[in-house]
Amino acid sequence: MSVETTTEAAPVPKKGMNILFGLTLLGLLLFLWLLLGLSTNSFWTSNNISNLLRQGAMTAILAVGQTFVIITAGIDLSVGAVVGFSSVTIAWLLAHGVPLWPAIGITLLVGVFIGAFHAFGIVRMGLPAFIITLATLTSLRGIGLLITNGSTISITDESFANFSRADFLGVPSLFWMVIVVAIPAFVFLHLSRWGRYLFAVGSNREAARLSGVNVERTIYLAYILSSTCAAFVGILLASRIGIGNATQAEGWELQAIASSVIGGTSLFGAVGSVHGPLLGAFILATINNGANLLNLNSFWQRIITGALIIIIVYFDQLRRCGSR
Amino acid sequence: MSVETTTEAAPVPKKGMNILFGLTLLGLLLFLWLLLGLSTNSFWTSNNISNLLRQGAMTAILAVGQTFVIITAGIDLSVGAVVGFSSVTIAWLLAHGVPLWPAIGITLLVGVFIGAFHAFGIVRMGLPAFIITLATLTSLRGIGLLITNGSTISITDESFANFSRADFLGVPSLFWMVIVVAIPAFVFLHLSRWGRYLFAVGSNREAARLSGVNVERTIYLAYILSSTCAAFVGILLASRIGIGNATQAEGWELQAIASSVIGGTSLFGAVGSVHGPLLGAFILATINNGANLLNLNSFWQRIITGALIIIIVYFDQLRRCGSR
Amino acid sequence: QDVTIPIIVKDTTSFYWQIVLAGARAAGKDLGVNVPELGAQAETDVNGQISILENAVAGSPAAIVISPTEFKALGKPVDEAAKAVPIIGIDSGADSKAFSSFLTTDNVQGGRIAADGLAAAIKEATGKDEGEIAIITNTPGAGSLEQRKEGFLDQIKSKYPGLKVVADKYADGQASTGLNIMTDLITANPNLVGVFASNLIMAQGVGQAIAENKLGEKVKVIGFDSDEKTVGFLKEGVLAGLVVQDPYRMGYDGIKTALAVSKKEKVEATVDTGANLVTKANMADPKIDALLNPKIN
Amino acid sequence: MTGLNDVSHRHDAEVEALSGGPVAKGAPILELRGLHKRYGTVEALRPASITFLSGEIHAIVGENGAGKSTLIKLLTGVIRRTSGDIVWCGQPVPLSDPNEAISRGINAVHQEVVLCPHLTVAANMFLGDEMNRRGLMRKRAMTDAAQAVLNDLGFNLPAGALLSDLTIGQQQLVATARAAMRGTQFLIFDEPTAYLTRQESAQLFRLIRRLQAQGVTIVYISHRMEEVFELADRVSVLRDGTHVGTRLIGETNDAELISMMINRSIEQIYHKETLPIGKPIVETRGLSGPGFQDISLTVRAGEIVGLYGLIGAGRSEFALGLYGREKVTAGEILFEGKTVDIRNERVAMDLGIALAPESRRDQGLCLNLPIGLNINLPVFDRLSSGLTINRKREIANADKQIGDLKIKTPTRRVLASAMSGGNQQKIVIGKWLSHGAKLFIFDEPTVGVDVGTKAEIYRLFSKLLEEGAGIILISSYLPEVYELADTLHVFRQGRLVASHAYRTASHEDVLTQAIGV
Ligand SMILES: Nc1ncnc2c1ncn2[C@@H]1O[C@H](COP(=O)(O)OP(=O)(O)OP(=O)(O)O)[C@@H](O)[C@H]1O
Ligand SMILES: Nc1ncnc2c1ncn2[C@@H]1O[C@H](COP(=O)(O)OP(=O)(O)OP(=O)(O)O)[C@@H](O)[C@H]1O
Ligand SMILES: [Mg+2]
Ligand SMILES: [Mg+2]
């Protein structure tokens, strides 16, 4: 099973490279902003910046969770489905009279459970991550649809529905949620030893095991974090759209993965950061926002998004190879 | 990246293990058919068997193409989009008066070109397969929508539209197409040296290169085959539904990958066959056909599909380990 | 052209919404209004539409024309947006009282019309309005499709007790899935006499299945919306009827009304643009013909 | 040597508790009773009973596939035994996972380097055992501590470097340092010198003696007899997974061990026939590329050209350059007198150059494919008739190499990953023998290969030479190149610094030139 990539792939960045790369991405983001500021006069309005922050927020959180999994050389295709399912879960709980906070707690727990199930499948049943998460993707949408009987559950709790529209210190609450997730995620991934174990498992599972790292627990951790982030996003989405609907967030898994990779995560594992995916998510959000402001045909928008993904990842690759 | 499996996995295939596994999948398929034959009285009608063969045909061809790519330890997420795009291409060509056969030829060439572009991105630009094919997925749908202006192009050529409905020797022509693809694919993958090279590249690129295998050409080959199969399926789809529509075949990439994995292909590369994905595709088609015949709720159908994928792949895994 | 009125549809990748956009475009040209054409890429993408609405508001246009993709979900965002710009609703409603004007086709009513059409077609073929029927929905979770289904089932239950719904299936947005489901339904239910395919894509798929099996005489299909393909099916007798709305007018009048609102003129609060049943018999009608062949360019 | 124990901060109390109290020097510390391991139908280790005494250096020798690595993996909890008992300090212990072994102060340097390439040297050394303060890692402190240990051991390595930036040999040293930090009771070396040069080996031996003096019990596995006699107190021999005996080092000799290992005797390991040297096959003139500069040398028919040097001297890079794998930036290559442009590997192969690369895992083998496919990989075009492969010839060719090289496998369908290290090396060689060439480049061909097979490989060299081929032999094991090469070139820092004809320089001279003092 050892996939050799000695020469072609597995680019191992130099020390400090990560931060540098993060900065370059930030540069790209700022450049895009500058460009949009010059070509539209609505971009740099506080209203639009708020919109942008709101629009990137959910993908950003998903991308951070996804990154943990990708660093272990895994993948989580289920996150979109988990978002949809969680929106149904919380809407259902609220509709059945469960108070708000317990409902949030239960929904997050469902996320934990789903993640644990993925890890169980991978660790105990020996299934490829791609397959088990693809299977839950399919099944979770089915279960969610079954609960809602194919339609939607309205959320009547006003305070909950208002949350996603609220601001705090002039910054949208949704963006605060990104910060609330990103800071502990950063500490966890870059400063704690569990974060290091994620990298070790992604780099060489056997070596990690021989070093006494509990590989199974690390994998559980990664998938649980990813699913819990997704459940959290499901709660935010429910608040934003005011309904629970199992078919929401279709394709978000690919957006999350794309954000993560644009942010410098390697799908071969063992390379990644927390700030990268965040920047990746906001770059994608900026492309969409800008396309809307420029009144770009939505078909062109797709074409350009695809092309930009190639270009960004290509330059990332170039920079990494060049710096070696 | 090299995941060590010295102790756990290291499957020493028993003599003819591959064939045995193929047989067991065949057993599963026959078992499903038997079950459905007992629980419905319409399953074993010649009409339904024809339907079933038609329904599985397109996924089967996609899965075979996808398998080539997966064996090289790659992935092709674009196949669904290529199918949709090809249906638009051929419909557009026919609508603009291009005769049928040249139109088919051009559409296939477009497939070849898309595959070559993927390989170019992977080999020359150093992009991960996941990313480049994800990007073309996005862009191709955009281009297709642009061509059709978001709607559909009707196909008026009667003989073309009739093709997918026709039978030959009592077997649906679509299934004949599977055979037309599968036999050369089998010869290529299992009997020719290029097939061996695919496995070698998937197992250890560097070792393959040092052994004189033209790694780049092999990768080009794999992606071109995959995209060309997808373009071929696009032509069949256009014939079957009589329209060109860029949003068709959404999510078929995941179905193709799932079929391939159910058929015993390993996403880590270097393990796979031609008969496996075929069986995988027809198992999935049987599940859907059976669910429809049993008038199962569409939501339950999703749940069951997910669960069955887990179970099938799990038993595959078990069998492989058990046989040591 | 300094007046800008964006139009936000549910799904730019569908033919129906392209006709709405074509109408809006024509109105823009006629009235000298700049009309950005916006919309999500799938009818189920509620969050996407909310984001697009937010972005549109940020551009401070004269007014916004929107077709809310989900009744409840778009309520608050529309309220919010209406604080800054007048909002004109088309096609479907939202849980908001902030609309300056509203041009709809009632999807529930459309479902009822489909039920009537199906019953009539079955009666014509078999002499009685009874037998087994089925409904196939494009995707779960799309508001307008649920409403069509609701109206259809309701009408069947109350007016045509002889018609029995034996299958209620959801596809995944793919014509070929609709086709597969239909062929399987034919196999599993040999006595099937009618089907309601509640949108364009499903009508295409189901129609193809009927054509493949040459069952146009036996199984009557009512589709929803029209394009060249389904109109062709109608002519061949593969489809028994199509429920056709007036998307072109909706787009055109939407922009026209929005411009009026932005000029503080008085407009009607609600307009029903109607839905019509098209059959082989009335296809040639000039009014219907205009609906079937909208001038998109 | 306090440094090592200070850093290994796995709490001493914990180690003490798990080790069941101190064991007197010379008393049994670890006893194997009927230890048995089966992989499917392969009996890797038949019930074996070996006792290790506290504070001794215990060597284990045996042919490729004899079960040495299996034994080590059992002792470190990497794999689980099929049956039998392991008694540690008088108590039976499960040793069911690596963590347990580490906790007891048992550690190993495995035959294949198992570290994380994406982490730094320091991170690898502390992996699973990080220094923490309030839940956060003390990265700086760990880097400093790791550097201190490396310096203390005399390994000239930066603790902050990424592991993947080091050569295999340097990585092996990191693994050694790490094991030394953790194996406070019982330390196992599985062919540690395979990738080390003589100088580094000497350093390693000093380290081993120092650890022994501190009371650490050492198990040492090697195919090099002189190392065994230099270091060990006692030696155990394995043959086909069976423990055939244990000897005090003073009471045995080369010949006895070899005959115990392979059940027959070998008169002469370095088999060399002097053949008439023919026309030049390949000639490089001022060849430069990544990692090597200005290399001019000639290989003639019937000649073995040896390349000796320290780790990172640029020999492998030169070989890859000659083979078309690396871009040559200056100089020219003449093949049979004609200037050639070797753009890629295929061109090299078509000319008649074969390269058996140095790293069997990374460059040599498709590990998860069958042995047969690996052997045939370079020659599939020859085995094909028309579009398809001729199955009969494919099978015949694979079986011939398996037979000729005595690769220990039931069939050619077994995956290469299931082979022992030495047998994997034989597959790599077999692959190139089946291809055939005018110039063979063997980069460290006998790494991990047992004495008996080594002799066979050298005999093979003679056969190739007789057939008119030339050989470039790259080796970090001086006796090998010294005894075999007709011309010995010494590399240092990417340059060719000295050349000697057969046996014209002393070992010491060659070493000095390689180190460059
Ligand atoms: N994972 C595995 N699956 C099946 N068989 C295995 C596996 N690992 C080792 N073996 C077999 O067990 C036997 C002993 O292997 P081991 O690696 O212990 O040999 P060794 O003495 O270390 O040889 P070498 O000197 O070549 O390293 C060999 O026949 C080998 O093929
Ligand atoms: N792609 C590269 N670009 C630049 N320098 C390189 C590259 N690859 C390796 N080097 C450097 O070239 C030198 C030669 O390394 P090489 O592995 O060839 O030495 P060697 O003599 O074969 O030693 P050994 O095989 O014993 O480790 C090393 O210092 C290495 O860091
Ligand atoms: Mg070994
Ligand atoms: Mg070397």
Side-chain angles (χ1 to χ4, degrees), chain B residues 6, chain D residues 39 44 63-70 111 191 223 418-422:
Chain B
T6 15
Chain D
Y39 287 110
E63 274 185 298
N64 293 135
K68 305 180 294 296
S69 298
T70 303
Q111 187 172 11
E191 298 189 38
H223 290 297
M419 291 284 94
S420 77

Side-chain angles (χ1 to χ4, degrees), chain A residues 158 240-241 248 289 302, chain C residues 41 44 47 55 72-73 76:
Chain A
E158 278 300 310
R240 184 158 155 91
I241 65 178
Q248 291 303 303
N289 176 276
R302 289 195 193 211
Chain C
Q41 314 250 323
T44 47
N47 183 51
N55 287 343
K72 176 74 180 30
K76 282 231 155 52

Side-chain angles (χ1 to χ4, degrees), chain D residues 52 56-62 68 71-72 75 109 176 186-194 196 200-202 204-206 208-209 217-236:
Chain D
F52 300 97
E56 74 169 338
I57 298 181
H58 192 126
I60 296 180
V61 296
K68 305 180 294 296
L71 179 68
I72 290 350
L75 294 185
V109 180
T176 308
F186 196 89
L187 193 48
I188 306 161
F189 293 92
D190 194 353
E191 298 189 38
T193 53
L196 301 186
E200 267 111 1
S201 305
L204 179 72
F205 290 177
R206 278 200 295 281
I208 290 176
R209 294 225 175 76
T217 310
I218 310 266
V219 173
Y220 190 89
I221 296 174
S222 180
H223 290 297
R224 299 180 182 169
M225 287 299 151
E226 69 278 11
E227 291 179 354
V228 170
F229 284 95
E230 189 179 337
L231 273 179
D233 301 318
R234 294 198 303 158
V235 52
S236 293

Side-chain angles (χ1 to χ4, degrees), chain C residues 144-224:
Chain C
S144 54
L145 302 186
E146 292 302 316
Q147 286 162 4
R148 286 172 199 171
K149 186 168 133 183
E150 182 195 323
F152 178 81
L153 293 179
D154 189 60
Q155 188 79 342
I156 293 287
K157 213 166 100 190
S158 54
K159 262 184 82 181
Y160 308 103
L163 292 177
K164 207 162 125 259
V165 178
V166 292
D168 172 0
K169 306 294 282 186
Y170 283 95
D172 57 0
Q174 307 290 308
S176 56
T177 309
L179 170 52
N180 289 344
I181 290 177
M182 191 59 211
T183 50
D184 289 342
L185 281 182
I186 295 167
T187 310
N189 306 282
N191 300 324
L192 201 67
V193 293
V195 177
F196 175 36
S198 67
N199 82 337
L200 183 61
I201 297 283
M202 284 307 115
Q204 289 168 344
V206 170
Q208 195 73 21
I210 298 293
E212 271 183 21
N213 290 284
K214 304 195 176 58
L215 285 172
E217 286 307 305
K218 189 167 163 286
V219 182
K220 296 296 166 189
V221 179
I222 302 291
F224 217 101

